[in-house]
Short mmCIF file of all heavy atoms in Angstrom, two decimals:
data_model
loop_
_atom_site.label_atom_id
_atom_site.label_comp_id
_atom_site.label_asym_id
_atom_site.label_seq_id
_atom_site.Cartn_x
_atom_site.Cartn_y
_atom_site.Cartn_z
N TRP A 1 72.06 -88.16 -12.35
CA TRP A 1 73.02 -87.07 -12.09
C TRP A 1 72.47 -85.73 -12.55
O TRP A 1 72.46 -84.76 -11.81
CB TRP A 1 74.34 -87.38 -12.79
CG TRP A 1 75.28 -86.23 -12.85
CD1 TRP A 1 76.07 -85.75 -11.85
CD2 TRP A 1 75.55 -85.40 -13.98
NE1 TRP A 1 76.81 -84.68 -12.29
CE2 TRP A 1 76.52 -84.46 -13.60
CE3 TRP A 1 75.09 -85.37 -15.30
CZ2 TRP A 1 77.01 -83.48 -14.47
CZ3 TRP A 1 75.59 -84.41 -16.16
CH2 TRP A 1 76.51 -83.48 -15.75
N ALA A 2 71.98 -85.68 -13.80
CA ALA A 2 71.48 -84.41 -14.33
C ALA A 2 70.26 -83.92 -13.57
O ALA A 2 70.08 -82.73 -13.36
CB ALA A 2 71.15 -84.56 -15.82
N SER A 3 69.41 -84.87 -13.14
CA SER A 3 68.20 -84.47 -12.43
C SER A 3 68.51 -83.83 -11.08
O SER A 3 67.70 -83.09 -10.54
CB SER A 3 67.28 -85.67 -12.24
OG SER A 3 67.85 -86.58 -11.32
N LYS A 4 69.70 -84.13 -10.53
CA LYS A 4 70.07 -83.59 -9.23
C LYS A 4 70.79 -82.25 -9.31
O LYS A 4 71.04 -81.62 -8.29
CB LYS A 4 70.96 -84.60 -8.49
CG LYS A 4 70.24 -85.87 -8.08
CD LYS A 4 71.18 -86.84 -7.40
CE LYS A 4 70.45 -88.13 -7.02
NZ LYS A 4 71.37 -89.11 -6.41
N LEU A 5 71.13 -81.83 -10.54
CA LEU A 5 71.92 -80.59 -10.66
C LEU A 5 71.15 -79.38 -10.14
O LEU A 5 71.76 -78.46 -9.59
CB LEU A 5 72.34 -80.37 -12.12
CG LEU A 5 73.38 -81.35 -12.67
CD1 LEU A 5 73.71 -81.00 -14.11
CD2 LEU A 5 74.64 -81.35 -11.82
N LYS A 6 69.84 -79.37 -10.30
CA LYS A 6 69.05 -78.24 -9.84
C LYS A 6 68.99 -78.17 -8.32
O LYS A 6 68.61 -77.14 -7.76
CB LYS A 6 67.64 -78.30 -10.43
CG LYS A 6 67.59 -78.05 -11.92
CD LYS A 6 66.16 -78.07 -12.42
CE LYS A 6 66.09 -77.80 -13.92
NZ LYS A 6 64.70 -77.81 -14.43
N GLN A 7 69.35 -79.27 -7.65
CA GLN A 7 69.27 -79.30 -6.19
C GLN A 7 70.53 -78.76 -5.53
O GLN A 7 70.60 -78.65 -4.32
CB GLN A 7 69.04 -80.74 -5.73
CG GLN A 7 67.77 -81.36 -6.29
CD GLN A 7 67.68 -82.83 -5.94
OE1 GLN A 7 68.32 -83.31 -5.02
NE2 GLN A 7 66.88 -83.57 -6.70
N THR A 8 71.55 -78.46 -6.32
CA THR A 8 72.81 -77.99 -5.75
C THR A 8 73.04 -76.53 -6.08
O THR A 8 72.54 -76.02 -7.09
CB THR A 8 73.98 -78.83 -6.27
OG1 THR A 8 75.20 -78.34 -5.68
CG2 THR A 8 74.12 -78.74 -7.78
N ASP A 9 73.78 -75.86 -5.24
CA ASP A 9 74.12 -74.46 -5.47
C ASP A 9 75.55 -74.37 -6.01
O ASP A 9 76.35 -73.56 -5.57
CB ASP A 9 74.01 -73.65 -4.16
CG ASP A 9 74.15 -72.15 -4.42
OD1 ASP A 9 73.77 -71.71 -5.52
OD2 ASP A 9 74.65 -71.43 -3.53
N TRP A 10 75.87 -75.26 -6.93
CA TRP A 10 77.17 -75.23 -7.59
C TRP A 10 76.98 -75.43 -9.07
O TRP A 10 76.34 -76.38 -9.48
CB TRP A 10 78.11 -76.32 -7.05
CG TRP A 10 79.46 -76.23 -7.70
CD1 TRP A 10 80.51 -75.47 -7.29
CD2 TRP A 10 79.86 -76.87 -8.91
NE1 TRP A 10 81.56 -75.61 -8.17
CE2 TRP A 10 81.19 -76.46 -9.17
CE3 TRP A 10 79.27 -77.74 -9.81
CZ2 TRP A 10 81.90 -76.90 -10.29
CZ3 TRP A 10 79.97 -78.18 -10.91
CH2 TRP A 10 81.28 -77.75 -11.15
N PRO A 11 77.53 -74.53 -9.92
CA PRO A 11 78.16 -73.27 -9.52
C PRO A 11 77.15 -72.35 -8.84
O PRO A 11 75.95 -72.58 -8.93
CB PRO A 11 78.64 -72.69 -10.85
CG PRO A 11 78.68 -73.83 -11.81
CD PRO A 11 77.59 -74.76 -11.38
N MET A 12 77.66 -71.32 -8.18
CA MET A 12 76.78 -70.43 -7.42
C MET A 12 75.73 -69.84 -8.35
O MET A 12 76.00 -69.43 -9.48
CB MET A 12 77.60 -69.32 -6.76
CG MET A 12 78.49 -69.83 -5.63
SD MET A 12 79.60 -68.58 -4.96
CE MET A 12 78.42 -67.53 -4.11
N SER A 13 74.50 -69.79 -7.86
CA SER A 13 73.38 -69.39 -8.70
C SER A 13 73.38 -67.90 -9.01
O SER A 13 72.70 -67.47 -9.92
CB SER A 13 72.07 -69.80 -8.03
OG SER A 13 71.99 -69.25 -6.72
N TYR A 14 74.10 -67.11 -8.22
CA TYR A 14 74.11 -65.66 -8.46
C TYR A 14 75.51 -65.26 -8.92
O TYR A 14 76.27 -64.62 -8.22
CB TYR A 14 73.69 -64.89 -7.19
CG TYR A 14 74.22 -65.49 -5.90
CD1 TYR A 14 75.46 -65.12 -5.40
CD2 TYR A 14 73.48 -66.42 -5.19
CE1 TYR A 14 75.95 -65.66 -4.23
CE2 TYR A 14 73.96 -66.97 -4.01
CZ TYR A 14 75.20 -66.57 -3.54
OH TYR A 14 75.67 -67.11 -2.37
N GLN A 15 75.84 -65.62 -10.16
CA GLN A 15 77.21 -65.48 -10.63
C GLN A 15 77.59 -64.07 -11.05
O GLN A 15 78.76 -63.72 -11.01
CB GLN A 15 77.45 -66.43 -11.81
CG GLN A 15 77.64 -67.87 -11.38
CD GLN A 15 78.98 -68.11 -10.69
OE1 GLN A 15 79.93 -67.36 -10.89
NE2 GLN A 15 79.05 -69.11 -9.87
N ALA A 16 76.67 -63.25 -11.52
CA ALA A 16 77.08 -61.96 -12.06
C ALA A 16 76.14 -60.88 -11.54
O ALA A 16 74.95 -61.13 -11.32
CB ALA A 16 77.05 -62.00 -13.58
N PRO A 17 76.60 -59.65 -11.36
CA PRO A 17 78.00 -59.26 -11.41
C PRO A 17 78.75 -59.64 -10.12
O PRO A 17 78.12 -59.93 -9.12
CB PRO A 17 77.93 -57.75 -11.56
CG PRO A 17 76.68 -57.39 -10.83
CD PRO A 17 75.71 -58.51 -11.09
N LEU A 18 80.07 -59.62 -10.19
CA LEU A 18 80.90 -59.97 -9.04
C LEU A 18 80.77 -58.90 -7.95
O LEU A 18 80.93 -57.72 -8.22
CB LEU A 18 82.35 -60.08 -9.49
CG LEU A 18 83.37 -60.58 -8.46
CD1 LEU A 18 83.09 -62.02 -8.11
CD2 LEU A 18 84.78 -60.44 -9.00
N LYS A 19 80.45 -59.34 -6.73
CA LYS A 19 80.30 -58.43 -5.61
C LYS A 19 81.07 -58.96 -4.40
O LYS A 19 81.24 -60.16 -4.27
CB LYS A 19 78.82 -58.26 -5.24
CG LYS A 19 77.95 -57.66 -6.32
CD LYS A 19 76.50 -57.62 -5.85
CE LYS A 19 75.58 -57.09 -6.95
NZ LYS A 19 74.17 -57.10 -6.52
N PRO A 20 81.49 -58.05 -3.51
CA PRO A 20 82.10 -58.52 -2.25
C PRO A 20 81.04 -59.30 -1.45
O PRO A 20 79.87 -58.92 -1.46
CB PRO A 20 82.48 -57.23 -1.52
CG PRO A 20 82.44 -56.16 -2.58
CD PRO A 20 81.42 -56.58 -3.56
N LEU A 21 81.36 -60.33 -0.77
CA LEU A 21 82.63 -61.00 -0.56
C LEU A 21 82.56 -62.39 -1.16
O LEU A 21 82.73 -63.39 -0.48
CB LEU A 21 82.92 -61.09 0.94
CG LEU A 21 83.02 -59.76 1.69
CD1 LEU A 21 82.80 -59.96 3.19
CD2 LEU A 21 84.39 -59.15 1.47
N ARG A 22 82.27 -62.46 -2.44
CA ARG A 22 82.08 -63.76 -3.08
C ARG A 22 83.36 -64.61 -2.92
O ARG A 22 84.45 -64.15 -3.24
CB ARG A 22 81.76 -63.62 -4.56
CG ARG A 22 81.46 -64.99 -5.21
CD ARG A 22 81.34 -64.91 -6.72
NE ARG A 22 80.20 -64.11 -7.13
CZ ARG A 22 79.94 -63.82 -8.41
NH1 ARG A 22 80.77 -64.20 -9.36
NH2 ARG A 22 78.88 -63.10 -8.70
N PRO A 23 83.21 -65.84 -2.44
CA PRO A 23 84.39 -66.70 -2.25
C PRO A 23 84.89 -67.28 -3.58
O PRO A 23 84.17 -67.27 -4.59
CB PRO A 23 83.86 -67.81 -1.34
CG PRO A 23 82.41 -67.88 -1.63
CD PRO A 23 81.97 -66.48 -1.93
N GLY A 24 86.13 -67.77 -3.54
CA GLY A 24 86.66 -68.49 -4.68
C GLY A 24 87.32 -67.66 -5.76
O GLY A 24 87.59 -68.17 -6.84
N HIS A 25 87.58 -66.37 -5.47
CA HIS A 25 88.14 -65.50 -6.49
C HIS A 25 89.39 -64.78 -5.97
O HIS A 25 89.44 -64.37 -4.82
CB HIS A 25 87.14 -64.44 -6.94
CG HIS A 25 86.02 -65.00 -7.75
ND1 HIS A 25 86.02 -65.00 -9.14
CD2 HIS A 25 84.85 -65.60 -7.39
CE1 HIS A 25 84.91 -65.57 -9.58
NE2 HIS A 25 84.18 -65.93 -8.53
N GLY A 26 90.38 -64.64 -6.87
CA GLY A 26 91.50 -63.75 -6.62
C GLY A 26 91.18 -62.39 -7.22
O GLY A 26 90.15 -62.19 -7.84
N ASP A 27 92.11 -61.46 -7.04
CA ASP A 27 91.89 -60.09 -7.53
C ASP A 27 92.52 -59.93 -8.91
O ASP A 27 93.73 -59.74 -9.05
CB ASP A 27 92.50 -59.09 -6.55
CG ASP A 27 91.99 -57.67 -6.80
OD1 ASP A 27 91.47 -57.42 -7.91
OD2 ASP A 27 92.10 -56.82 -5.89
N ALA A 28 91.67 -59.94 -9.93
CA ALA A 28 92.15 -59.79 -11.31
C ALA A 28 92.70 -58.40 -11.57
O ALA A 28 93.50 -58.20 -12.50
CB ALA A 28 91.01 -60.08 -12.29
N ARG A 29 92.33 -57.42 -10.73
CA ARG A 29 92.81 -56.05 -10.92
C ARG A 29 94.29 -55.92 -10.62
O ARG A 29 94.94 -54.96 -11.06
CB ARG A 29 92.00 -55.09 -10.02
CG ARG A 29 90.53 -55.03 -10.37
CD ARG A 29 89.74 -54.27 -9.31
NE ARG A 29 89.74 -54.96 -8.02
CZ ARG A 29 89.05 -54.57 -6.96
NH1 ARG A 29 88.29 -53.47 -7.06
NH2 ARG A 29 89.09 -55.23 -5.84
N GLU A 30 94.83 -56.86 -9.87
CA GLU A 30 96.24 -56.81 -9.48
C GLU A 30 97.13 -57.65 -10.41
O GLU A 30 98.32 -57.75 -10.20
CB GLU A 30 96.42 -57.31 -8.05
CG GLU A 30 95.64 -56.52 -7.01
CD GLU A 30 96.21 -55.11 -6.82
OE1 GLU A 30 97.37 -54.88 -7.23
OE2 GLU A 30 95.48 -54.27 -6.29
N PHE A 31 96.53 -58.24 -11.42
CA PHE A 31 97.31 -59.09 -12.32
C PHE A 31 98.12 -58.25 -13.30
O PHE A 31 97.64 -57.23 -13.80
CB PHE A 31 96.37 -60.01 -13.09
CG PHE A 31 97.07 -61.03 -13.95
CD1 PHE A 31 97.82 -62.03 -13.38
CD2 PHE A 31 96.99 -60.97 -15.34
CE1 PHE A 31 98.47 -62.98 -14.15
CE2 PHE A 31 97.63 -61.90 -16.12
CZ PHE A 31 98.38 -62.91 -15.53
N PRO A 32 99.39 -58.63 -13.59
CA PRO A 32 100.23 -57.87 -14.51
C PRO A 32 99.81 -58.09 -15.96
O PRO A 32 100.45 -58.83 -16.73
CB PRO A 32 101.63 -58.41 -14.24
CG PRO A 32 101.42 -59.80 -13.77
CD PRO A 32 100.13 -59.77 -13.00
N ASN A 33 98.74 -57.43 -16.36
CA ASN A 33 98.14 -57.68 -17.68
C ASN A 33 99.07 -57.30 -18.83
O ASN A 33 99.07 -57.95 -19.88
CB ASN A 33 96.81 -56.92 -17.80
CG ASN A 33 95.71 -57.56 -16.97
OD1 ASN A 33 95.30 -58.67 -17.23
ND2 ASN A 33 95.26 -56.84 -15.96
N GLU A 34 99.88 -56.25 -18.66
CA GLU A 34 100.79 -55.86 -19.74
C GLU A 34 101.85 -56.92 -19.99
O GLU A 34 102.19 -57.22 -21.14
CB GLU A 34 101.43 -54.49 -19.43
CG GLU A 34 100.48 -53.32 -19.58
CD GLU A 34 99.91 -53.23 -20.99
OE1 GLU A 34 100.68 -53.42 -21.96
OE2 GLU A 34 98.70 -52.97 -21.12
N VAL A 35 102.38 -57.47 -18.91
CA VAL A 35 103.36 -58.55 -19.06
C VAL A 35 102.73 -59.75 -19.73
O VAL A 35 103.31 -60.35 -20.65
CB VAL A 35 103.94 -58.94 -17.68
CG1 VAL A 35 104.89 -60.12 -17.82
CG2 VAL A 35 104.66 -57.75 -17.05
N TRP A 36 101.54 -60.11 -19.28
CA TRP A 36 100.85 -61.25 -19.87
C TRP A 36 100.53 -61.00 -21.35
O TRP A 36 100.67 -61.91 -22.18
CB TRP A 36 99.57 -61.54 -19.08
CG TRP A 36 98.70 -62.62 -19.64
CD1 TRP A 36 97.42 -62.49 -20.08
CD2 TRP A 36 99.02 -64.00 -19.82
NE1 TRP A 36 96.93 -63.69 -20.52
CE2 TRP A 36 97.89 -64.63 -20.36
CE3 TRP A 36 100.17 -64.75 -19.58
CZ2 TRP A 36 97.87 -65.99 -20.67
CZ3 TRP A 36 100.14 -66.11 -19.86
CH2 TRP A 36 99.01 -66.71 -20.41
N ALA A 37 100.16 -59.78 -21.69
CA ALA A 37 99.86 -59.45 -23.08
C ALA A 37 101.09 -59.63 -23.97
O ALA A 37 100.99 -60.08 -25.11
CB ALA A 37 99.33 -58.02 -23.19
N ARG A 38 102.28 -59.26 -23.45
CA ARG A 38 103.51 -59.44 -24.24
C ARG A 38 103.76 -60.93 -24.49
O ARG A 38 104.17 -61.32 -25.58
CB ARG A 38 104.69 -58.81 -23.53
CG ARG A 38 104.68 -57.29 -23.52
CD ARG A 38 106.05 -56.72 -23.19
NE ARG A 38 106.49 -57.07 -21.84
CZ ARG A 38 106.23 -56.34 -20.77
NH1 ARG A 38 105.50 -55.23 -20.87
NH2 ARG A 38 106.67 -56.70 -19.57
N CYS A 39 103.52 -61.75 -23.48
CA CYS A 39 103.69 -63.19 -23.65
C CYS A 39 102.72 -63.74 -24.69
O CYS A 39 103.08 -64.58 -25.52
CB CYS A 39 103.49 -63.92 -22.31
SG CYS A 39 104.73 -63.55 -21.05
N LEU A 40 101.47 -63.24 -24.69
CA LEU A 40 100.50 -63.68 -25.66
C LEU A 40 100.89 -63.24 -27.07
O LEU A 40 100.75 -64.02 -28.04
CB LEU A 40 99.13 -63.10 -25.31
CG LEU A 40 98.39 -63.72 -24.12
CD1 LEU A 40 97.15 -62.90 -23.79
CD2 LEU A 40 98.01 -65.16 -24.40
N ARG A 41 101.38 -62.01 -27.20
CA ARG A 41 101.77 -61.54 -28.52
C ARG A 41 102.92 -62.37 -29.10
O ARG A 41 102.91 -62.75 -30.27
CB ARG A 41 102.15 -60.06 -28.46
CG ARG A 41 100.97 -59.11 -28.36
CD ARG A 41 101.36 -57.68 -28.65
NE ARG A 41 102.25 -57.16 -27.61
CZ ARG A 41 101.83 -56.53 -26.50
NH1 ARG A 41 100.52 -56.38 -26.30
NH2 ARG A 41 102.68 -56.08 -25.63
N ARG A 42 103.92 -62.66 -28.26
CA ARG A 42 105.04 -63.43 -28.74
C ARG A 42 104.62 -64.86 -29.10
O ARG A 42 105.10 -65.44 -30.07
CB ARG A 42 106.16 -63.46 -27.68
CG ARG A 42 106.95 -62.15 -27.62
CD ARG A 42 108.23 -62.32 -26.83
NE ARG A 42 107.98 -62.39 -25.40
CZ ARG A 42 108.02 -61.33 -24.58
NH1 ARG A 42 108.30 -60.13 -25.07
NH2 ARG A 42 107.80 -61.46 -23.29
N SER A 43 103.68 -65.41 -28.33
CA SER A 43 103.17 -66.73 -28.65
C SER A 43 102.44 -66.72 -30.00
O SER A 43 102.58 -67.66 -30.80
CB SER A 43 102.24 -67.23 -27.55
OG SER A 43 101.66 -68.47 -27.88
N ALA A 44 101.69 -65.66 -30.25
CA ALA A 44 100.95 -65.56 -31.52
C ALA A 44 101.90 -65.42 -32.69
O ALA A 44 101.69 -66.03 -33.74
CB ALA A 44 100.01 -64.36 -31.46
#
């Protein structure tokens, strides 16, 4: 199994930086980070 990992393109070999039109991603810029931060603070 390990010997075959180099033969596959998963995960994608060109991971960074994120550029258009890489598949498999949502838009993190549209996420309600302030709301999520409040939930994290209350959990802490």
Side-chain angles (χ1 to χ4, degrees):
W1 167 77
S3 69
K4 292 178 181 177
L5 290 181
K6 291 183 179 180
Q7 302 172 20
T8 180
D9 189 30
W10 182 88
M12 291 173 70
S13 55
Y14 39 88
Q15 283 288 336
L18 186 67
K19 298 177 183 178
L21 300 160
R22 184 189 294 175
H25 289 265
D27 195 342
R29 296 170 295 185
E30 301 291 342
F31 185 67
N33 287 295
E34 286 302 318
V35 176
W36 175 242
R38 289 197 296 271
C39 295
L40 286 172
R41 284 194 294 270
R42 284 194 285 266
S43 175

